[in-house]
Amino acid sequence: MIHPKHQSKWASLALLTLFVYVLSALLLPPHADAKGEQISAKQLESMSRLSFTLRDAKQTAYTVYIFAYDEQKSMLTEENGWTNNKKGDKSYSGTYRAALLKKGAAYGTVQAAKLDLNTIILPQTWNFVVKSKEAGTPDMLMITDWGTSNFNEVKTYIVRSGELRRVTFVDNKGKKIDDSYSASRDDGIRTLSGARVQFKNYNNLQFVYGVNTFKLNVNKLELRLEDTRNLRSKAWPNSGVGDRAYLKSLKEAALKGALPGRTDVKIGMTLQNAQKKLGKPTSRSNEEWGAFYYYSKFGVGFDSYMHELTNKSRIAVFDLYNEKQNLSPWNVKIWMGKPSSEYYNEVVGGYEMVYELGNHAIVFNYEEEEDLIDFTSIY
């Protein structure tokens, strides 16, 4: 039996505990670890370190608030070369989460999407929104991390069905590449029509700017590889043909044994008929396997050497001078699949990657394993 004095004591403690709990619920912010937690718009505005406006595919506007309850503040003691911040700039650290507030709503919702963001230095430019070019395509929030001296690792988020969702990068066959992708630190991402996004990155090995194009699938939350292209210039490409279309045209020509871009010039055609179609070459000489007639963008090889040539000699091979396409062996394999054979040819002093196509073949030639392709042959 509990003495009445003790009953009064425990009753007072219970009331005090209840009072403290209610006061805590009213004055302290909710814990951010639980997805779906509701936080008022005014509170989100005051507690968040970053915020971004993001439209979904229906062009409905949302504000993404980024915050951390365990946030710690400090100041940079030295310059940060990656973020372009100066000594004395404010630095914040913590476990950052996102809350999504629909335009006009009184409360925002804590999101399940993981940002993997632990540091924010102000002012900042490396987390940003890429606006869509058309209705039906959402804006994209880019959260970036240090990658190398050339690029950042970029995580991509969109708003779908009222939630912030992370997008996965997949290759042209739908196989997952990663949850992030690399892009040059300045001017490394842009959007195009057709829900396409381009990521640009400098390749130190081949001394080119690689521009990879992805297409966003909102339903699958995927950015799927649509094209690749290497450029010598840092500027975005606004003309020219990407690797996918270029290699498709080579394959179609090779299947017919034709000179790419010319359906009227084919392997097996006589020298006499070829000259009627192509005109006079800029030069002529013997190569290892026969005579060659050289034109500005291609060479035509015959089944006879120069001293044996007659009007009835026939075309045996086309050499394409496609160095300006800046093709890499890796990108060729992306769009054409595994080659029939690949080997080092000591006779020519370089590598050859062969694709057999019916009665004909395409051979890509390059000097070193990490080199771009020098020229391509169809025979």
Side-chain angles (χ1 to χ4, degrees), residues 245-257:
Y246 180 76
L247 292 168
K248 181 182 178 182
S249 70
L250 290 192
K251 184 177 179 179
E252 290 173 348
L255 284 167
K256 299 174 183 177

Side-chain angles (χ1 to χ4, degrees), residues 155-168:
K155 294 162 285 187
T156 303
Y157 301 81
I158 63 171
V159 176
R160 191 191 74 175
S161 302
E163 294 183 358
L164 186 69
R165 304 294 299 273
R166 188 164 176 174
V167 178
T168 299

Side-chain angles (χ1 to χ4, degrees), residues 69-117:
Y69 281 117
D70 59 348
E71 187 177 64
Q72 299 292 321
K73 179 182 177 181
S74 62
M75 299 184 76
L76 292 185
T77 58
E78 59 183 6
E79 183 179 306
N80 188 319
W82 169 51
T83 63
N84 291 324
N85 283 100
K86 302 175 182 178
K87 179 181 178 180
D89 282 348
K90 296 176 182 178
S91 179
Y92 301 87
S93 62
T95 306
Y96 287 96
R97 300 292 302 273
L100 198 62
L101 178 71
K102 187 176 182 180
K103 184 178 180 180
Y107 286 85
T109 306
V110 176
Q111 300 297 291
K114 292 184 178 180
L115 301 180
D116 297 326
L117 180 63

Side-chain angles (χ1 to χ4, degrees), residues 68-258:
Y69 281 117
D70 59 348
E71 187 177 64
Q72 299 292 321
K73 179 182 177 181
S74 62
M75 299 184 76
L76 292 185
T77 58
E78 59 183 6
E79 183 179 306
N80 188 319
W82 169 51
T83 63
N84 291 324
N85 283 100
K86 302 175 182 178
K87 179 181 178 180
D89 282 348
K90 296 176 182 178
S91 179
Y92 301 87
S93 62
T95 306
Y96 287 96
R97 300 292 302 273
L100 198 62
L101 178 71
K102 187 176 182 180
K103 184 178 180 180
Y107 286 85
T109 306
V110 176
Q111 300 297 291
K114 292 184 178 180
L115 301 180
D116 297 326
L117 180 63
N118 300 307
T119 303
I120 296 173
I121 308 172
L122 299 180
Q124 72 93 44
T125 58
W126 61 96
N127 302 307
F128 53 91
V129 172
V130 176
K131 296 290 185 182
S132 68
K133 292 287 186 182
E134 57 199 353
T137 304
D139 297 336
M140 281 164 279
L141 173 63
M142 306 297 186
I143 302 295
T144 75
D145 290 321
W146 170 271
T148 70
S149 58
N150 286 335
F151 62 81
N152 287 342
E153 289 292 339
V154 181
K155 294 162 285 187
T156 303
Y157 301 81
I158 63 171
V159 176
R160 191 191 74 175
S161 302
E163 294 183 358
L164 186 69
R165 304 294 299 273
R166 188 164 176 174
V167 178
T168 299
F169 293 86
V170 300
D171 65 15
N172 56 311
K173 295 180 181 178
K175 182 179 179 181
K176 182 178 177 180
I177 298 174
D178 206 338
D179 288 324
S180 61
Y181 205 74
S182 60
S184 296
R185 194 149 293 117
D186 299 314
D187 189 32
I189 304 172
R190 73 169 180 175
T191 54
L192 303 173
S193 60
R196 293 172 298 156
V197 190
Q198 288 188 320
F199 292 78
K200 180 171 57 179
N201 192 5
Y202 185 69
N203 187 323
N204 280 329
L205 293 175
Q206 298 167 341
F207 307 108
V208 291
Y209 291 90
V211 177
N212 292 336
T213 304
F214 291 82
K215 186 178 178 66
L216 176 65
N217 186 317
V218 175
N219 293 329
K220 291 185 176 181
L221 293 170
E222 289 179 349
L223 278 164
R224 183 168 181 154
L225 186 64
E226 281 279 298
D227 207 353
T228 57
R229 190 175 176 190
N230 291 321
L231 303 164
R232 295 293 180 185
S233 171
K234 186 179 180 180
W236 286 106
N238 291 314
S239 62
V241 178
D243 294 338
R244 183 178 183 178
Y246 180 76
L247 292 168
K248 181 182 178 182
S249 70
L250 290 192
K251 184 177 179 179
E252 290 173 348
L255 284 167
K256 299 174 183 177

Side-chain angles (χ1 to χ4, degrees), residues 236-307:
W236 286 106
N238 291 314
S239 62
V241 178
D243 294 338
R244 183 178 183 178
Y246 180 76
L247 292 168
K248 181 182 178 182
S249 70
L250 290 192
K251 184 177 179 179
E252 290 173 348
L255 284 167
K256 299 174 183 177
L259 179 65
R262 298 287 299 263
T263 59
D264 58 340
V265 181
K266 296 184 177 182
I267 291 171
M269 178 179 284
T270 64
L271 170 60
Q272 185 177 29
N273 289 332
Q275 284 195 290
K276 288 179 181 178
K277 301 287 186 180
L278 299 173
K280 185 179 179 180
T282 56
S283 62
R284 301 179 297 174
S285 73
N286 279 328
E287 294 285 352
E288 184 178 359
W289 307 112
F292 256 83
Y293 279 27
Y294 303 104
Y295 296 85
S296 61
K297 295 181 180 180
F298 57 87
V300 179
F302 295 91
D303 59 2
S304 305
Y305 289 101
M306 291 292 296
H307 65 281

Side-chain angles (χ1 to χ4, degrees), residues 206 208 230 232 326-329 365-366 370-374:
Q206 298 167 341
V208 291
N230 291 321
R232 295 293 180 185
N326 298 310
L327 279 172
S328 70
N365 301 268
Y366 50 101
E370 299 297 337
D371 281 352
L372 297 176
I373 290 165
D374 294 319

